[in-house]
Amino acid sequence: MKYPFDEQLRAKALNQKLRSILVGMLFNDLELNLRTEYNLFDRHTERPVCIGNGEICQFS
């Protein structure tokens, strides 16, 4: 399946490789679109032991 704007972008690029494509985001705030969350799970109980964002951690 081709990218919906493939032909339009290639026409603008003058037969060169595409270097960028348009991407739609749900929100205007990058923090809402690109959140990072880290979880540490106990292998035996399969429950989370620690949940955090890379700076702050909460133990459960």
Side-chain angles (χ1 to χ4, degrees):
M1 178 178 192
K2 284 189 175 182
Y3 181 67
F5 299 105
D6 184 71
E7 291 178 15
Q8 292 172 343
L9 293 174
R10 286 190 189 276
K12 288 181 184 178
L14 301 172
N15 297 325
Q16 297 177 4
K17 291 183 180 180
L18 289 179
R19 301 288 182 196
S20 63
I21 60 171
L22 302 172
V23 176
M25 296 286 188
L26 295 175
F27 305 103
N28 287 332
D29 186 4
L30 284 178
E31 294 292 323
L32 294 174
N33 287 310
L34 304 173
R35 289 189 334 209
T36 303
E37 185 176 285
Y38 299 96
N39 299 318
L40 173 65
F41 289 90
D42 184 335
R43 290 184 183 194
H44 301 293
T45 62
E46 298 179 3
R47 292 183 181 218
V49 176
C50 177
I51 300 170
N53 63 3
E55 293 180 13
I56 299 171
C57 177
Q58 294 179 347
F59 293 98
S60 44

